[in-house]
Amino acid sequence: MRRRGFSVLAGVLAVSFVVGLSTAALAQARGGENWPAVKCERYRKAYDEATRRFGTKGLGPEFLARHDAFMASGCQTAPDVCPRSIEELNLANIMVMAGMNAGMASTFMPFACRK
């Protein structure tokens, strides 16, 4: 009987956690701010910081052009920035980590290789 009580308590805590996350997400979206624009600005700042720290050596013109187009669209275009070189992959990994730390979902990122 004791185990069942523990399972019920664990379930209640898990549901409370999910509800808390949902409430926080709604509050964030309802805060009067345009959440997609906020995410894009956070992303832009992280990108500027990453390129300032690590430079753009090894980032190809296609990678940079597609990435610039993503940011120019307000971060609304479909993911089509394909990291091909090790430097591009490193920057993509840095941006994913920075985005997650800034509260963005991994689906926000512009990185995808279709071919």
Side-chain angles (χ1 to χ4, degrees):
M1 190 65 162
R2 224 173 169 184
R3 272 191 162 180
R4 182 168 185 201
F6 178 75
S7 295
V8 170
L9 178 61
V12 168
L13 290 174
V15 168
S16 297
F17 179 71
V18 170
V19 169
L21 286 178
S22 298
T23 304
L26 286 174
Q28 190 173 33
R30 291 183 187 165
E33 293 181 295
N34 178 344
W35 182 230
V38 169
K39 289 190 294 185
C40 192
E41 182 58 30
R42 290 179 184 180
Y43 184 87
R44 186 181 315 278
K45 286 180 181 176
Y47 178 76
D48 290 345
E49 177 66 18
T51 55
R52 185 185 65 74
R53 284 186 179 200
F54 304 107
T56 58
K57 182 179 179 190
L59 305 180
E62 182 180 1
F63 179 89
L64 291 170
R66 288 183 183 270
H67 194 268
D68 289 347
F70 171 74
M71 290 192 302
S73 75
C75 306
Q76 298 295 312
T77 59
D80 73 344
V81 181
C82 182
R84 298 186 194 285
S85 70
I86 190 70
E87 294 86 358
E88 291 170 353
L89 185 57
N90 286 340
L91 179 62
N93 288 334
I94 288 167
M95 293 309 301
V96 168
M97 295 297 285
M100 299 304 270
N101 287 337
M104 294 173 246
S106 60
T107 57
F108 173 83
M109 298 297 142
F111 307 108
C113 296
R114 306 278 183 224
K115 297 176 185 176

